[in-house]
Amino acid sequence: MDLPMMLAGRGLGRIIALRLMRLGLLLLAAAAAAFALMKLSPVDPVDAYLGPAIARLGPEQKALIAAAWGLDQPVLAQFTRWLTRILSGDAGWSTAYGAPVRTVLAERILPSLLLTLPAWLLSGVLGFGLGITAGIREGSLPDRIIRIYAYVTASAPTFWVALLALTLFSVNLGWTPLCCSGPIGALPQEVTWVQRLHHLILPLAVLSLLGIAQIALHTRAKVAELMKADHVLFALAQGARPGDIARRSIARNAALPALTIFFASIGEILGGAVLAEQVFAYPGLGRATVEAAMKGDVPLLLAITLLATLVVSTGNMLADILYRIVDPRMRGPAPVLREASEG
């Protein structure tokens, strides 16, 4: 291995190490911010946990419950205690579900992955394809149709589109179920994969179609710019077809910004999944987040916040690393290292 390649490898390793350190600091900051917001929230965890039973309890009994949960301690002590338990692998007890937070997350992660992961991949593939189709023939009818579609879906609220889809396909046409991840009343172990897929189709379609816009628009802009390059205009003058040019030389360069947007869209997919799961009563992490917020389930809400921060930050870090792998110009050593190798 020659010196420039060794320096490039060391540079990439240093970047990964810095990104991991930054991720650790970001998680700590997110934990502190989320904990502070929970404390500033007007929702009292004890009142939310007791619900209507609060009328039968006196202030002394409420104080005993708060003391048992450690809520009578100073805020800094509560945060330190919670953070220590998180680092030891104990995320606490979910008051909304009456189970360890770890168990609630384990039960909810799989349904959420079945919804968000295919939606994320579909939106990326379809958005990239539509962006290339629109960009190679800028101003054409397909370009105008794709742009209108992207602008409309980019500005449409997820819950509103989900309600329209639910009304049309489930209520009026009866093609898809009204809710849930399986037939109502059936135990989870009794639900077949065909039934799961039937219940998954509509929320998956809504989430995928709404995630296409950003990738399609950014890819279209990059392809339209590349199609105006001198070597592309020369190839077109020689009789080359736009589709062949896009496949052989445009797609690779257009993939770089699309890759960044694709990984950066993880946060949007997760945010859309929270609303979609609520509309379709889909039992994933998004619905658990809403229920935890409504019932003042601080341990569960904080754990989901940290998990979402970890997923989104990891996606951005992977985008940065893949960008350097795909683009050879980003793989070279930093200017200082390059001068050292040339010297």
Side-chain angles (χ1 to χ4, degrees):
M1 183 179 295
D2 56 6
L3 183 58
M5 291 186 64
M6 291 177 61
L7 292 174
R10 291 177 184 175
L12 185 60
R14 188 181 62 176
I15 290 172
I16 293 175
L18 289 174
R19 293 292 186 276
L20 290 176
M21 290 176 58
R22 186 182 300 175
L23 176 61
L25 294 175
L26 179 63
L27 287 175
L28 181 60
F35 196 88
L37 289 175
M38 293 297 105
K39 287 300 173 186
L40 293 174
S41 169
V43 178
D44 188 313
V46 177
D47 293 349
Y49 171 70
L50 294 174
I54 189 66
R56 299 195 295 270
L57 297 181
E60 297 80 7
Q61 293 168 307
K62 285 182 58 179
L64 289 176
I65 296 176
W69 289 356
L71 298 178
D72 57 339
Q73 301 295 320
V75 175
L76 184 59
Q78 293 181 40
F79 176 69
T80 305
R81 178 186 176 192
W82 170 74
L83 193 61
T84 304
R85 294 179 65 177
I86 283 285
L87 294 176
S88 65
D90 181 11
W93 182 268
S94 169
T95 55
Y97 291 90
V101 170
R102 186 190 310 169
T103 303
V104 177
L105 294 180
E107 292 175 351
R108 297 289 179 138
I109 279 180
L110 180 58
S112 284
L113 282 178
L114 291 176
L115 174 62
T116 54
L117 188 58
W120 179 57
L121 295 175
L122 281 174
S123 62
V125 173
L126 295 176
F128 186 63
L130 290 176
I132 290 183
T133 303
I136 61 175
R137 293 184 176 83
E138 188 179 12
S140 63
L141 180 60
D143 178 32
R144 292 198 293 270
I145 294 175
I146 291 172
R147 273 190 296 154
I148 291 173
Y149 164 75
Y151 291 144
V152 170
T153 54
S155 57
T158 303
F159 72 92
W160 182 74
V161 177
L163 286 174
L164 285 181
L166 192 66
T167 303
L168 177 61
F169 295 104
S170 298
V171 178
N172 294 337
L173 299 177
W175 291 354
T176 55
L178 283 170
C179 72
C180 314
S181 61
I184 297 176
L187 297 175
Q189 58 270 23
E190 296 174 348
V191 180
T192 66
W193 280 103
V194 175
Q195 291 174 325
R196 292 181 190 277
L197 182 61
H198 191 206
H199 284 74
L200 187 64
I201 286 177
L202 195 56
L204 175 60
V206 170
L207 209 55
S208 302
L209 294 176
L210 291 176
I212 289 175
Q214 296 296 331
I215 300 175
L217 290 174
H218 282 83
T219 304
R220 176 198 172 274
K222 184 64 177 179
V223 171
E225 175 190 342
L226 294 172
M227 290 296 290
K228 297 173 184 173
D230 292 340
H231 68 282
V232 174
L233 295 176
F234 180 76
L236 290 173
Q238 295 296 315
R241 292 185 298 180
D244 294 335
I245 296 175
R247 187 175 63 254
R248 293 176 181 175
S249 63
I250 299 294
R252 181 184 177 88
N253 292 324
L256 295 176
L259 195 64
T260 304
I261 300 298
F262 178 57
F263 278 93
S265 67
I266 292 178
E268 295 181 9
I269 290 291
L270 290 179
V274 173
L275 299 175
E277 288 182 6
Q278 191 65 19
V279 172
F280 293 103
Y282 190 81
L285 281 176
R287 197 168 180 217
T289 304
V290 176
E291 292 182 2
M294 296 295 294
K295 297 179 180 179
D297 191 346
V298 177
L300 179 59
L301 202 55
L302 290 175
I304 293 176
T305 301
L306 286 184
L307 182 61
T309 305
L310 177 64
V311 172
V312 174
S313 301
T314 303
N316 292 333
M317 185 176 67
L318 289 176
D320 194 16
I321 295 172
L322 288 176
Y323 202 100
R324 295 172 182 277
I325 294 176
V326 174
D327 190 350
R329 294 169 298 181
M330 300 292 292
R331 213 179 304 165
V336 175
L337 299 177
R338 189 180 301 117
E339 291 174 3
S341 66
E342 292 172 354

